[in-house]
Amino acid sequence: MKVAVTSVFVDDQEKAKQFYTDVLGFAVKHDIPLGGDARWLTVVSPADPEGVELLLEPNGTPIAQAYQRGLREAGIPVMIFGVDDLAKEHERLTGRGVRFTTPPTQTGPVLMAIFDDTCGNLVNLQQPLG
């Protein structure tokens, strides 16, 4: 058994698609209309195109909205992305206009930084040390 798809609630799927692809560099895996404005919209890392898909899921229910808002207000990232060189990623993303709420910081055995995904979430970048 392995993780095939995981999801993150977003307040606007098209805005999320543009951010996760154009800014972060993910690739669209699936973009299938589901009726109305909803889509089965997944992205993958270009480094692992057959790996775990990230579903950019509409936060169209009060429960999803409360969950997303609660995490954000508490300053809790909704997910963690691993990187090989946090300083390089921080510089690249800052250059693309990404707003970091926490700059690169060592926390135990990792370097980490937290950014705003513009779609209602905080995301943690982590680089293992040593």
Side-chain angles (χ1 to χ4, degrees):
M1 187 179 311
K2 66 179 184 173
V3 177
V5 178
T6 190
S7 65
V8 61
F9 290 116
V10 297
D11 58 16
D12 180 311
Q13 280 187 301
E14 187 57 33
K15 181 173 68 170
K17 177 183 174 183
Q18 291 179 2
F19 182 82
Y20 280 81
T21 59
D22 297 344
V23 177
L24 297 184
F26 285 85
V28 172
K29 179 79 173 199
H30 297 287
D31 191 350
I32 303 166
L34 297 176
D37 292 333
R39 298 151 40 194
W40 180 262
L41 175 58
T42 66
V43 296
V44 293
S45 167
D48 191 11
E50 299 306 316
V52 176
E53 296 176 45
L54 178 60
L55 173 63
L56 304 176
E57 188 166 358
N59 68 352
T61 67
I63 292 170
Q65 292 165 7
Y67 169 78
Q68 186 182 39
R69 185 176 49 254
L71 287 176
R72 185 176 179 81
E73 288 174 359
I76 300 171
V78 69
M79 63 189 146
I80 298 170
F81 293 147
V83 297
D84 293 329
D85 186 336
L86 184 61
K88 183 177 176 181
E89 278 301 307
H90 181 263
E91 182 178 338
R92 179 180 79 86
L93 294 176
T94 300
R96 290 177 172 228
V98 173
R99 186 179 70 80
F100 281 81
T101 60
T102 303
T105 306
Q106 183 172 347
T107 58
V110 299
L111 288 175
M112 58 80 69
I114 299 173
F115 68 84
D116 180 340
D117 80 350
T118 74
C119 306
N121 304 294
L122 298 175
V123 178
N124 188 322
L125 292 180
Q126 286 191 358
Q127 172 192 339
L129 295 173

